[in-house]
Amino acid sequence: MDVIIENLPQYWDGFLRTLFLSVVSGIIALVFGTVLAAARVSPVAALRGFSMVYVEIVRNTPLTIAFFFAAVVLPRLGITFQQFEVAAIIALSAYTSAFIAEAVRSGVNSVPVGQAEAARSIGMKFSQVLSLIILPQALRTVIPPLINILIALVKNSSVAGAFYVLELFGYGKQLANANGDAVVWVLIGVAFFYLLITIPLGYLANVVERKVAIAR
Amino acid sequence: MSSVLYDVPGPKARRISLIGSIIGVIVIGGLLVLAVMTLAQQGIFDPKRWAVFQIPDVWVLIGNGIGATLAAAAVAAVIAFPLGLLLCLMRISGNAWIRVPTRIVLEFLRGMPVVLMMLFVLLVFATSSFVAVVAGLVLYNSAIFAEIIRAGVQSLPKGQREAGLAIGLTSFQSRLTIELPQAIRRMLPSLVAQLVVLLKDTSLGYIVAYGELLRAVQVMADFLGPQYLFPVFFVAAAIYIAIDLAVSRLAIWLERRGSKRAAGGVAHVPVAGIPAAK
């Protein structure tokens, strides 16, 4: 137990870094994922094709491969980063956006047909139907799955720790090496800080789920 | 599906989308060409770099990597599924003394990064990295399997259980012989989809120094020299994606087949509460 209290500054630093990685990649992934989902349902065949290929490939790529590519392969190709955080954010947001795109797309499909038909019948264009009628309703139903994707993102950010970013997992490894006799406590401390983010988010997803279920 | 959002396009709209498609192809194609040219400038397409695949030992190493990846995934899946069933039974048990602690354990397991569990097992129990990888995967995925099956049980009509109890089955017998078989069948697509996640997560073994495919790539790049990193990495990534895509297709096929055959159909969208696929 002492080992956690003694190293609280590191834990706190790692916790903030994990939060930072998750929030920044989460925002980028939300924006990019929604754009991908919009492309996937658009009338333009090339955009549909591109979005489908991107989502299928990225969803079936292990996250570690994405990290390896961003942190190890890219620098060898001449694309170097001042900080490894940038590589981590690129890997995490590229990966997460594919899952967000799928979730938003299934949300779009869950909106009743009549909504789009009504919007079209009063003369709205595709872009208006999508942005004013469909997406606002779709986002409501996809909020619980989106929160679950964000929970996965928080947990996935731990992979950054293995690629030179000192976030929670990275500090955990470092502290475990330094305190060979208290490894159990070191790692329980790390787990505690992850649960501090993931369990409340999971609770939030359940609450939102219940609210939406009543509304529909 | 997508036709929900717009009318069947007329001649004018078709022309616009065609123009849009052409512009899209040009933009996306242009970006790809740019990427390929940048790579070419770095000498990626130098045949000498790809000649590395003429060395038989390279394929032996890649083969070993694939073997290690599949072995960890298979062992973990075979252990995690029955464990998940057991956890599910405990999670929906009528006895609060069993249900509540199980729920806490499941929340705990689901809320933690898999790689942290692997590291924990590796360091605390001083096991081999294979055991650590398998243990991490089993702990996490049995919790997810339990939640998926639970969602399946709860999606069943109430009458299924009532009928079982009415003909004199005990609660446990009803679960085992009536509810679980239906729940598993309903959730088969989700369960298979979770296998993709499990398969992908074996690559976390790289972090705890398990000799899976990605680790094999790194070892080869260290041994042959960094200029061979890209070709070897490229092939390894392609292998991963091919395996995962194949299992994903299986899940989609099961879903289509299930929704045609099974009376109640199969679950299409993973029920919320189950963490999204990693």
Side-chain angles (χ1 to χ4, degrees):
Chain A
M1 203 67 202
D2 294 342
V3 73
I4 298 178
I5 294 159
E6 275 165 27
N7 296 298
L8 216 50
Q10 272 100 316
Y11 276 114
W12 186 243
D13 194 34
F15 178 71
L16 291 181
R17 198 76 48 101
T18 290
L19 264 184
F20 172 75
L21 282 180
S22 310
V23 170
V24 174
S25 330
I27 291 171
I28 298 174
L30 275 174
V31 173
F32 188 46
T34 311
V35 172
L36 277 174
R40 186 81 189 265
V41 296
S42 83
V44 182
L47 292 181
R48 277 206 304 269
F50 169 75
S51 173
M52 197 188 89
V53 170
Y54 179 87
V55 169
E56 278 297 298
I57 289 185
V58 173
R59 274 208 316 163
N60 288 293
T61 307
L63 178 65
T64 325
I65 289 267
F67 263 97
F68 195 82
F69 184 78
V72 180
V73 179
L74 278 185
R76 298 249 166 98
L77 297 178
I79 303 164
T80 47
F81 305 108
Q82 292 292 310
Q83 284 157 322
F84 283 108
E85 269 97 341
V86 181
I89 288 171
I90 290 175
L92 282 172
S93 44
Y95 183 80
T96 309
S97 59
F99 293 92
I100 288 183
E102 273 300 277
V104 172
R105 188 173 70 100
S106 69
V108 167
N109 287 337
S110 78
V111 175
V113 186
Q115 296 285 331
E117 284 172 349
R120 283 208 307 270
S121 72
I122 58 168
M124 285 188 171
K125 291 183 298 190
F126 170 72
S127 55
Q128 289 174 316
V129 175
L130 197 63
S131 63
L132 296 175
I133 307 292
I134 305 293
L135 278 184
Q137 294 188 65
L139 283 177
R140 239 177 101 120
T141 35
V142 296
I143 284 176
L146 281 186
I147 295 175
N148 282 326
I149 294 173
L150 294 180
I151 295 173
L153 169 62
V154 173
K155 294 189 288 176
N156 285 340
S157 72
S158 63
V159 178
F163 291 90
Y164 324 111
V165 179
L166 270 184
E167 42 65 81
L168 264 178
F169 181 75
Y171 272 122
K173 259 188 8 174
Q174 216 177 50
L175 288 174
N177 283 336
N179 302 283
D181 48 338
V183 174
V184 179
W185 284 109
V186 167
L187 295 182
I188 286 178
V190 175
F192 170 78
F193 278 102
Y194 274 111
L195 297 176
L196 210 57
I197 309 177
T198 54
I199 288 187
L201 273 179
Y203 182 73
L204 183 69
N206 279 341
V207 171
V208 174
E209 163 106 346
R210 235 168 286 147
K211 283 212 160 161
V212 173
I214 293 166
R216 263 269 158 97
Chain B
M1 266 186 315
S2 47
S3 63
V4 169
L5 295 178
Y6 42 86
D7 278 312
V8 178
K12 196 176 160 198
R14 265 207 300 270
R15 205 158 51 234
I16 294 173
S17 348
L18 186 67
I19 295 169
S21 274
I22 292 170
I23 295 174
V25 165
I26 290 172
V27 170
I28 294 163
L31 286 175
L32 276 179
V33 168
L34 195 71
V36 168
M37 276 179 31
T38 318
L39 290 181
Q41 263 179 2
Q42 307 285 333
I44 292 302
F45 300 107
D46 188 348
K48 261 189 271 170
R49 289 203 178 181
W50 295 85
V52 70
F53 292 111
Q54 286 169 358
I55 308 171
D57 283 352
V58 165
W59 287 107
V60 171
L61 277 173
I62 290 180
N64 287 345
I66 298 174
T69 290
L70 293 180
V75 173
V78 167
I79 302 175
F81 184 70
L83 199 60
L85 264 182
L86 181 71
L87 282 170
C88 171
L89 279 174
M90 290 164 70
R91 174 70 179 80
I92 54 179
S93 156
N95 185 339
W97 288 101
I98 301 175
R99 192 174 63 232
V100 176
T102 310
R103 183 172 176 184
I104 293 171
V105 170
L106 288 184
E107 289 282 343
F108 181 76
L109 291 178
R110 281 171 45 201
M112 267 202 311
V114 181
V115 63
L116 187 63
M117 298 190 221
M118 289 181 182
L119 188 70
F120 188 89
V121 174
L122 184 75
L123 295 180
V124 174
F125 300 104
T127 59
S128 70
S129 54
F130 174 75
V131 174
V133 169
V134 169
L137 289 175
V138 164
L139 284 174
Y140 182 72
N141 287 285
S142 55
I144 303 296
F145 283 146
E147 290 294 308
I148 292 176
I149 299 167
R150 181 170 74 96
V153 169
Q154 285 176 346
S155 76
L156 292 176
K158 244 172 118 186
Q160 296 290 329
R161 180 174 176 75
E162 286 167 355
L165 298 177
I167 58 170
L169 297 181
T170 64
S171 164
F172 183 68
Q173 280 173 325
S174 156
R175 295 264 193 237
L176 212 58
T177 59
I178 294 179
E179 292 165 63
L180 280 185
Q182 297 188 70
I184 291 171
R185 208 169 149 191
R186 271 192 171 203
M187 298 316 258
L188 204 55
S190 298
L191 291 170
V192 176
Q194 182 61 27
L195 278 186
V196 179
V197 178
L198 192 153
L199 206 55
K200 290 201 299 179
D201 282 355
T202 54
S203 75
L204 293 172
Y206 170 77
I207 296 166
V208 290
Y210 176 55
E212 47 73 62
L213 190 48
L214 191 56
R215 176 62 62 178
V217 166
Q218 167 126 69
V219 169
M220 264 185 278
D222 288 347
F223 182 71
L224 298 167
Q227 69 269 32
Y228 295 112
L229 181 72
F230 187 80
V232 185
F233 172 79
F234 185 79
V235 169
I239 293 171
Y240 261 119
I241 293 168
I243 297 174
D244 291 336
L245 265 176
V247 183
S248 295
R249 290 284 119 191
L250 178 68
I252 292 170
W253 179 76
L254 278 171
E255 192 170 318
R256 293 230 174 96
R257 181 173 163 273
S259 54
K260 251 184 263 164
R261 283 209 197 157
V266 292
H268 291 279
V269 184
V271 181
I274 300 164
K278 272 187 71 135

